[in-house]
PDB file of all heavy atoms in Angstrom:
ATOM      1  N   THR A 485      97.341 127.423  93.082  1.00  0.00           N
ATOM      2  CA  THR A 485      96.652 126.511  92.172  1.00  0.00           C
ATOM      3  C   THR A 485      97.653 125.674  91.389  1.00  0.00           C
ATOM      4  O   THR A 485      97.487 124.459  91.257  1.00  0.00           O
ATOM      5  CB  THR A 485      95.752 127.302  91.202  1.00  0.00           C
ATOM      6  OG1 THR A 485      94.872 128.134  91.961  1.00  0.00           O
ATOM      7  CG2 THR A 485      94.949 126.367  90.327  1.00  0.00           C
ATOM      8  N   ASP A 486      98.693 126.305  90.849  1.00  0.00           N
ATOM      9  CA  ASP A 486      99.718 125.563  90.114  1.00  0.00           C
ATOM     10  C   ASP A 486     100.442 124.573  91.022  1.00  0.00           C
ATOM     11  O   ASP A 486     100.753 123.456  90.615  1.00  0.00           O
ATOM     12  CB  ASP A 486     100.736 126.518  89.487  1.00  0.00           C
ATOM     13  CG  ASP A 486     100.174 127.291  88.313  1.00  0.00           C
ATOM     14  OD1 ASP A 486      99.025 127.001  87.907  1.00  0.00           O
ATOM     15  OD2 ASP A 486     100.875 128.184  87.804  1.00  0.00           O
ATOM     16  N   TYR A 487     100.687 124.983  92.252  1.00  0.00           N
ATOM     17  CA  TYR A 487     101.344 124.106  93.213  1.00  0.00           C
ATOM     18  C   TYR A 487     100.484 122.872  93.489  1.00  0.00           C
ATOM     19  O   TYR A 487     100.979 121.748  93.542  1.00  0.00           O
ATOM     20  CB  TYR A 487     101.624 124.870  94.506  1.00  0.00           C
ATOM     21  CG  TYR A 487     102.334 124.072  95.564  1.00  0.00           C
ATOM     22  CD1 TYR A 487     103.686 123.783  95.438  1.00  0.00           C
ATOM     23  CD2 TYR A 487     101.662 123.604  96.683  1.00  0.00           C
ATOM     24  CE1 TYR A 487     104.352 123.054  96.416  1.00  0.00           C
ATOM     25  CE2 TYR A 487     102.312 122.882  97.647  1.00  0.00           C
ATOM     26  CZ  TYR A 487     103.662 122.600  97.511  1.00  0.00           C
ATOM     27  OH  TYR A 487     104.304 121.870  98.467  1.00  0.00           O
ATOM     28  N   LEU A 488      99.172 123.076  93.641  1.00  0.00           N
ATOM     29  CA  LEU A 488      98.253 121.970  93.871  1.00  0.00           C
ATOM     30  C   LEU A 488      98.260 121.018  92.681  1.00  0.00           C
ATOM     31  O   LEU A 488      98.293 119.789  92.851  1.00  0.00           O
ATOM     32  CB  LEU A 488      96.836 122.491  94.128  1.00  0.00           C
ATOM     33  CG  LEU A 488      95.751 121.444  94.311  1.00  0.00           C
ATOM     34  CD1 LEU A 488      96.018 120.619  95.561  1.00  0.00           C
ATOM     35  CD2 LEU A 488      94.388 122.107  94.387  1.00  0.00           C
ATOM     36  N   ILE A 489      98.259 121.551  91.472  1.00  0.00           N
ATOM     37  CA  ILE A 489      98.304 120.726  90.269  1.00  0.00           C
ATOM     38  C   ILE A 489      99.604 119.937  90.221  1.00  0.00           C
ATOM     39  O   ILE A 489      99.618 118.742  89.918  1.00  0.00           O
ATOM     40  CB  ILE A 489      98.135 121.584  88.998  1.00  0.00           C
ATOM     41  CG1 ILE A 489      96.706 122.144  88.941  1.00  0.00           C
ATOM     42  CG2 ILE A 489      98.458 120.793  87.745  1.00  0.00           C
ATOM     43  CD1 ILE A 489      96.512 123.222  87.902  1.00  0.00           C
ATOM     44  N   TRP A 490     100.713 120.590  90.532  1.00  0.00           N
ATOM     45  CA  TRP A 490     102.022 119.933  90.504  1.00  0.00           C
ATOM     46  C   TRP A 490     102.084 118.783  91.505  1.00  0.00           C
ATOM     47  O   TRP A 490     102.516 117.677  91.176  1.00  0.00           O
ATOM     48  CB  TRP A 490     103.102 120.972  90.802  1.00  0.00           C
ATOM     49  CG  TRP A 490     104.499 120.462  90.736  1.00  0.00           C
ATOM     50  CD1 TRP A 490     105.251 120.297  89.607  1.00  0.00           C
ATOM     51  CD2 TRP A 490     105.319 120.041  91.827  1.00  0.00           C
ATOM     52  NE1 TRP A 490     106.487 119.807  89.936  1.00  0.00           N
ATOM     53  CE2 TRP A 490     106.553 119.634  91.293  1.00  0.00           C
ATOM     54  CE3 TRP A 490     105.131 119.976  93.193  1.00  0.00           C
ATOM     55  CZ2 TRP A 490     107.599 119.165  92.088  1.00  0.00           C
ATOM     56  CZ3 TRP A 490     106.167 119.507  93.991  1.00  0.00           C
ATOM     57  CH2 TRP A 490     107.385 119.117  93.426  1.00  0.00           C
ATOM     58  N   VAL A 491     101.641 119.021  92.734  1.00  0.00           N
ATOM     59  CA  VAL A 491     101.658 117.977  93.766  1.00  0.00           C
ATOM     60  C   VAL A 491     100.701 116.844  93.390  1.00  0.00           C
ATOM     61  O   VAL A 491     101.043 115.664  93.523  1.00  0.00           O
ATOM     62  CB  VAL A 491     101.307 118.567  95.153  1.00  0.00           C
ATOM     63  CG1 VAL A 491     101.084 117.466  96.175  1.00  0.00           C
ATOM     64  CG2 VAL A 491     102.410 119.502  95.625  1.00  0.00           C
ATOM     65  N   ALA A 492      99.510 117.177  92.900  1.00  0.00           N
ATOM     66  CA  ALA A 492      98.544 116.147  92.510  1.00  0.00           C
ATOM     67  C   ALA A 492      99.092 115.278  91.380  1.00  0.00           C
ATOM     68  O   ALA A 492      98.904 114.053  91.383  1.00  0.00           O
ATOM     69  CB  ALA A 492      97.227 116.795  92.087  1.00  0.00           C
ATOM     70  N   TYR A 493      99.764 115.884  90.417  1.00  0.00           N
ATOM     71  CA  TYR A 493     100.364 115.121  89.319  1.00  0.00           C
ATOM     72  C   TYR A 493     101.363 114.100  89.855  1.00  0.00           C
ATOM     73  O   TYR A 493     101.329 112.922  89.504  1.00  0.00           O
ATOM     74  CB  TYR A 493     101.057 116.070  88.334  1.00  0.00           C
ATOM     75  CG  TYR A 493     101.922 115.351  87.327  1.00  0.00           C
ATOM     76  CD1 TYR A 493     101.364 114.820  86.166  1.00  0.00           C
ATOM     77  CD2 TYR A 493     103.287 115.195  87.539  1.00  0.00           C
ATOM     78  CE1 TYR A 493     102.156 114.145  85.250  1.00  0.00           C
ATOM     79  CE2 TYR A 493     104.083 114.520  86.625  1.00  0.00           C
ATOM     80  CZ  TYR A 493     103.513 114.010  85.490  1.00  0.00           C
ATOM     81  OH  TYR A 493     104.306 113.331  84.581  1.00  0.00           O
ATOM     82  N   TRP A 494     102.278 114.559  90.714  1.00  0.00           N
ATOM     83  CA  TRP A 494     103.321 113.663  91.217  1.00  0.00           C
ATOM     84  C   TRP A 494     102.784 112.599  92.153  1.00  0.00           C
ATOM     85  O   TRP A 494     103.239 111.454  92.143  1.00  0.00           O
ATOM     86  CB  TRP A 494     104.447 114.464  91.868  1.00  0.00           C
ATOM     87  CG  TRP A 494     105.331 115.046  90.821  1.00  0.00           C
ATOM     88  CD1 TRP A 494     105.363 116.344  90.403  1.00  0.00           C
ATOM     89  CD2 TRP A 494     106.279 114.347  90.006  1.00  0.00           C
ATOM     90  NE1 TRP A 494     106.273 116.500  89.389  1.00  0.00           N
ATOM     91  CE2 TRP A 494     106.851 115.282  89.127  1.00  0.00           C
ATOM     92  CE3 TRP A 494     106.692 113.023  89.935  1.00  0.00           C
ATOM     93  CZ2 TRP A 494     107.820 114.937  88.192  1.00  0.00           C
ATOM     94  CZ3 TRP A 494     107.656 112.680  89.004  1.00  0.00           C
ATOM     95  CH2 TRP A 494     108.211 113.630  88.147  1.00  0.00           C
ATOM     96  N   ILE A 495     101.805 112.940  92.974  1.00  0.00           N
ATOM     97  CA  ILE A 495     101.198 111.938  93.849  1.00  0.00           C
ATOM     98  C   ILE A 495     100.511 110.867  93.002  1.00  0.00           C
ATOM     99  O   ILE A 495     100.644 109.677  93.270  1.00  0.00           O
ATOM    100  CB  ILE A 495     100.221 112.595  94.844  1.00  0.00           C
ATOM    101  CG1 ILE A 495     101.002 113.386  95.889  1.00  0.00           C
ATOM    102  CG2 ILE A 495      99.339 111.545  95.524  1.00  0.00           C
ATOM    103  CD1 ILE A 495     100.131 114.201  96.825  1.00  0.00           C
ATOM    104  N   GLY A 496      99.797 111.284  91.977  1.00  0.00           N
ATOM    105  CA  GLY A 496      99.155 110.320  91.075  1.00  0.00           C
ATOM    106  C   GLY A 496     100.164 109.449  90.354  1.00  0.00           C
ATOM    107  O   GLY A 496      99.979 108.236  90.212  1.00  0.00           O
ATOM    108  N   ARG A 497     101.241 110.049  89.903  1.00  0.00           N
ATOM    109  CA  ARG A 497     102.278 109.289  89.210  1.00  0.00           C
ATOM    110  C   ARG A 497     102.929 108.261  90.144  1.00  0.00           C
ATOM    111  O   ARG A 497     103.151 107.118  89.769  1.00  0.00           O
ATOM    112  CB  ARG A 497     103.326 110.255  88.659  1.00  0.00           C
ATOM    113  CG  ARG A 497     104.438 109.586  87.914  1.00  0.00           C
ATOM    114  CD  ARG A 497     105.374 110.607  87.320  1.00  0.00           C
ATOM    115  NE  ARG A 497     106.595 109.957  86.889  1.00  0.00           N
ATOM    116  CZ  ARG A 497     107.313 110.343  85.869  1.00  0.00           C
ATOM    117  NH1 ARG A 497     106.943 111.395  85.175  1.00  0.00           N
ATOM    118  NH2 ARG A 497     108.404 109.704  85.536  1.00  0.00           N
ATOM    119  N   GLU A 498     103.214 108.689  91.364  1.00  0.00           N
ATOM    120  CA  GLU A 498     103.847 107.770  92.323  1.00  0.00           C
ATOM    121  C   GLU A 498     102.898 106.653  92.739  1.00  0.00           C
ATOM    122  O   GLU A 498     103.317 105.497  92.859  1.00  0.00           O
ATOM    123  CB  GLU A 498     104.327 108.549  93.545  1.00  0.00           C
ATOM    124  CG  GLU A 498     105.499 109.443  93.245  1.00  0.00           C
ATOM    125  CD  GLU A 498     105.879 110.358  94.385  1.00  0.00           C
ATOM    126  OE1 GLU A 498     105.090 110.545  95.320  1.00  0.00           O
ATOM    127  OE2 GLU A 498     106.996 110.900  94.323  1.00  0.00           O
ATOM    128  N   ASP A 499     101.636 106.973  92.941  1.00  0.00           N
ATOM    129  CA  ASP A 499     100.660 105.939  93.294  1.00  0.00           C
ATOM    130  C   ASP A 499     100.495 104.922  92.182  1.00  0.00           C
ATOM    131  O   ASP A 499     100.445 103.713  92.436  1.00  0.00           O
ATOM    132  CB  ASP A 499      99.306 106.559  93.628  1.00  0.00           C
ATOM    133  CG  ASP A 499      99.290 107.268  94.967  1.00  0.00           C
ATOM    134  OD1 ASP A 499     100.242 107.074  95.757  1.00  0.00           O
ATOM    135  OD2 ASP A 499      98.326 108.015  95.222  1.00  0.00           O
ATOM    136  N   SER A 500     100.411 105.394  90.941  1.00  0.00           N
ATOM    137  CA  SER A 500     100.257 104.455  89.822  1.00  0.00           C
ATOM    138  C   SER A 500     101.513 103.615  89.637  1.00  0.00           C
ATOM    139  O   SER A 500     101.431 102.419  89.331  1.00  0.00           O
ATOM    140  CB  SER A 500      99.900 105.191  88.535  1.00  0.00           C
ATOM    141  OG  SER A 500     100.930 106.077  88.160  1.00  0.00           O
ATOM    142  N   CYS A 501     102.670 104.204  89.847  1.00  0.00           N
ATOM    143  CA  CYS A 501     103.929 103.454  89.745  1.00  0.00           C
ATOM    144  C   CYS A 501     103.967 102.346  90.787  1.00  0.00           C
ATOM    145  O   CYS A 501     104.339 101.202  90.490  1.00  0.00           O
ATOM    146  CB  CYS A 501     105.121 104.384  89.925  1.00  0.00           C
ATOM    147  SG  CYS A 501     106.703 103.539  89.922  1.00  0.00           S
ATOM    148  N   ARG A 502     103.578 102.673  92.007  1.00  0.00           N
ATOM    149  CA  ARG A 502     103.571 101.681  93.089  1.00  0.00           C
ATOM    150  C   ARG A 502     102.581 100.557  92.770  1.00  0.00           C
ATOM    151  O   ARG A 502     102.865  99.382  92.960  1.00  0.00           O
ATOM    152  CB  ARG A 502     103.220 102.343  94.412  1.00  0.00           C
ATOM    153  CG  ARG A 502     103.325 101.423  95.604  1.00  0.00           C
ATOM    154  CD  ARG A 502     103.215 102.217  96.892  1.00  0.00           C
ATOM    155  NE  ARG A 502     104.469 102.858  97.207  1.00  0.00           N
ATOM    156  CZ  ARG A 502     105.401 102.310  97.992  1.00  0.00           C
ATOM    157  NH1 ARG A 502     105.201 101.134  98.503  1.00  0.00           N
ATOM    158  NH2 ARG A 502     106.513 102.953  98.248  1.00  0.00           N
ATOM    159  N   THR A 503     101.408 100.898  92.257  1.00  0.00           N
ATOM    160  CA  THR A 503     100.398  99.896  91.916  1.00  0.00           C
ATOM    161  C   THR A 503     100.890  98.964  90.818  1.00  0.00           C
ATOM    162  O   THR A 503     100.789  97.736  90.936  1.00  0.00           O
ATOM    163  CB  THR A 503      99.094 100.584  91.469  1.00  0.00           C
ATOM    164  OG1 THR A 503      98.621 101.413  92.533  1.00  0.00           O
ATOM    165  CG2 THR A 503      98.034  99.580  91.102  1.00  0.00           C
ATOM    166  N   VAL A 504     101.446  99.538  89.752  1.00  0.00           N
ATOM    167  CA  VAL A 504     101.940  98.725  88.647  1.00  0.00           C
ATOM    168  C   VAL A 504     103.093  97.838  89.096  1.00  0.00           C
ATOM    169  O   VAL A 504     103.147  96.641  88.770  1.00  0.00           O
ATOM    170  CB  VAL A 504     102.367  99.614  87.453  1.00  0.00           C
ATOM    171  CG1 VAL A 504     103.135  98.814  86.413  1.00  0.00           C
ATOM    172  CG2 VAL A 504     101.157 100.275  86.819  1.00  0.00           C
ATOM    173  N   SER A 505     104.011  98.386  89.872  1.00  0.00           N
ATOM    174  CA  SER A 505     105.162  97.607  90.343  1.00  0.00           C
ATOM    175  C   SER A 505     104.729  96.461  91.249  1.00  0.00           C
ATOM    176  O   SER A 505     105.239  95.348  91.140  1.00  0.00           O
ATOM    177  CB  SER A 505     106.159  98.504  91.073  1.00  0.00           C
ATOM    178  OG  SER A 505     106.730  99.433  90.192  1.00  0.00           O
ATOM    179  N   ASP A 506     103.786  96.722  92.142  1.00  0.00           N
ATOM    180  CA  ASP A 506     103.294  95.676  93.041  1.00  0.00           C
ATOM    181  C   ASP A 506     102.554  94.581  92.268  1.00  0.00           C
ATOM    182  O   ASP A 506     102.724  93.387  92.546  1.00  0.00           O
ATOM    183  CB  ASP A 506     102.398  96.260  94.123  1.00  0.00           C
ATOM    184  CG  ASP A 506     103.167  97.104  95.136  1.00  0.00           C
ATOM    185  OD1 ASP A 506     104.421  97.009  95.174  1.00  0.00           O
ATOM    186  OD2 ASP A 506     102.515  97.866  95.876  1.00  0.00           O
ATOM    187  N   ASP A 507     101.727  94.986  91.302  1.00  0.00           N
ATOM    188  CA  ASP A 507     101.022  94.000  90.479  1.00  0.00           C
ATOM    189  C   ASP A 507     101.995  93.157  89.668  1.00  0.00           C
ATOM    190  O   ASP A 507     101.830  91.947  89.516  1.00  0.00           O
ATOM    191  CB  ASP A 507     100.025  94.684  89.536  1.00  0.00           C
ATOM    192  CG  ASP A 507      98.835  95.279  90.283  1.00  0.00           C
ATOM    193  OD1 ASP A 507      98.658  94.973  91.483  1.00  0.00           O
ATOM    194  OD2 ASP A 507      98.089  96.056  89.657  1.00  0.00           O
ATOM    195  N   TYR A 508     103.025  93.786  89.132  1.00  0.00           N
ATOM    196  CA  TYR A 508     104.031  93.072  88.352  1.00  0.00           C
ATOM    197  C   TYR A 508     104.817  92.099  89.232  1.00  0.00           C
ATOM    198  O   TYR A 508     105.085  90.970  88.827  1.00  0.00           O
ATOM    199  CB  TYR A 508     104.977  94.069  87.681  1.00  0.00           C
ATOM    200  CG  TYR A 508     105.965  93.430  86.742  1.00  0.00           C
ATOM    201  CD1 TYR A 508     105.551  92.861  85.545  1.00  0.00           C
ATOM    202  CD2 TYR A 508     107.321  93.403  87.047  1.00  0.00           C
ATOM    203  CE1 TYR A 508     106.460  92.274  84.684  1.00  0.00           C
ATOM    204  CE2 TYR A 508     108.232  92.816  86.187  1.00  0.00           C
ATOM    205  CZ  TYR A 508     107.794  92.256  85.008  1.00  0.00           C
ATOM    206  OH  TYR A 508     108.698  91.673  84.156  1.00  0.00           O
ATOM    207  N   ALA A 509     105.149  92.508  90.445  1.00  0.00           N
ATOM    208  CA  ALA A 509     105.858  91.614  91.373  1.00  0.00           C
ATOM    209  C   ALA A 509     105.001  90.404  91.717  1.00  0.00           C
ATOM    210  O   ALA A 509     105.503  89.279  91.793  1.00  0.00           O
ATOM    211  CB  ALA A 509     106.254  92.369  92.639  1.00  0.00           C
ATOM    212  N   ALA A 510     103.689  90.609  91.905  1.00  0.00           N
ATOM    213  CA  ALA A 510     102.782  89.492  92.187  1.00  0.00           C
ATOM    214  C   ALA A 510     102.703  88.552  90.989  1.00  0.00           C
ATOM    215  O   ALA A 510     102.692  87.321  91.147  1.00  0.00           O
ATOM    216  CB  ALA A 510     101.399  90.024  92.544  1.00  0.00           C
ATOM    217  N   LEU A 511     102.680  89.104  89.780  1.00  0.00           N
ATOM    218  CA  LEU A 511     102.659  88.286  88.567  1.00  0.00           C
ATOM    219  C   LEU A 511     103.939  87.461  88.442  1.00  0.00           C
ATOM    220  O   LEU A 511     103.891  86.260  88.137  1.00  0.00           O
ATOM    221  CB  LEU A 511     102.485  89.174  87.338  1.00  0.00           C
ATOM    222  CG  LEU A 511     102.515  88.479  85.978  1.00  0.00           C
ATOM    223  CD1 LEU A 511     101.303  87.580  85.822  1.00  0.00           C
ATOM    224  CD2 LEU A 511     102.579  89.508  84.869  1.00  0.00           C
ATOM    225  N   LEU A 512     105.074  88.074  88.700  1.00  0.00           N
ATOM    226  CA  LEU A 512     106.340  87.343  88.643  1.00  0.00           C
ATOM    227  C   LEU A 512     106.380  86.226  89.685  1.00  0.00           C
ATOM    228  O   LEU A 512     106.903  85.137  89.415  1.00  0.00           O
ATOM    229  CB  LEU A 512     107.516  88.298  88.848  1.00  0.00           C
ATOM    230  CG  LEU A 512     107.836  89.241  87.704  1.00  0.00           C
ATOM    231  CD1 LEU A 512     108.955  90.189  88.114  1.00  0.00           C
ATOM    232  CD2 LEU A 512     108.216  88.487  86.451  1.00  0.00           C
ATOM    233  N   GLU A 513     105.841  86.487  90.854  1.00  0.00           N
ATOM    234  CA  GLU A 513     105.802  85.467  91.907  1.00  0.00           C
ATOM    235  C   GLU A 513     104.957  84.271  91.470  1.00  0.00           C
ATOM    236  O   GLU A 513     105.338  83.118  91.682  1.00  0.00           O
ATOM    237  CB  GLU A 513     105.256  86.074  93.201  1.00  0.00           C
ATOM    238  CG  GLU A 513     105.219  85.118  94.365  1.00  0.00           C
ATOM    239  CD  GLU A 513     106.599  84.678  94.832  1.00  0.00           C
ATOM    240  OE1 GLU A 513     107.556  85.444  94.689  1.00  0.00           O
ATOM    241  OE2 GLU A 513     106.697  83.548  95.350  1.00  0.00           O
ATOM    242  N   GLN A 514     103.808  84.534  90.847  1.00  0.00           N
ATOM    243  CA  GLN A 514     102.958  83.452  90.340  1.00  0.00           C
ATOM    244  C   GLN A 514     103.668  82.655  89.261  1.00  0.00           C
ATOM    245  O   GLN A 514     103.599  81.421  89.237  1.00  0.00           O
ATOM    246  CB  GLN A 514     101.649  84.017  89.799  1.00  0.00           C
ATOM    247  CG  GLN A 514     100.747  84.603  90.842  1.00  0.00           C
ATOM    248  CD  GLN A 514      99.581  85.350  90.227  1.00  0.00           C
ATOM    249  OE1 GLN A 514      99.442  85.424  89.011  1.00  0.00           O
ATOM    250  NE2 GLN A 514      98.740  85.923  91.083  1.00  0.00           N
TER     251      GLN A 514
END
């Protein structure tokens, strides 16, 4: 259970980081 929580936390963090970075790159391009 703790392992699942740990992996879910990091996957969520990495996904949100990728989303924010991609959105920011698109904004800079505009």
Side-chain angles (χ1 to χ4, degrees):
T485 306
D486 288 354
Y487 181 74
L488 177 64
I489 292 168
W490 183 82
V491 170
Y493 169 84
W494 282 104
I495 288 173
R497 181 176 166 148
E498 290 172 344
D499 287 347
S500 62
C501 176
R502 186 169 281 267
T503 301
V504 169
S505 294
D506 290 345
D507 290 348
Y508 186 69
L511 177 67
L512 288 176
E513 182 66 30
Q514 292 170 0

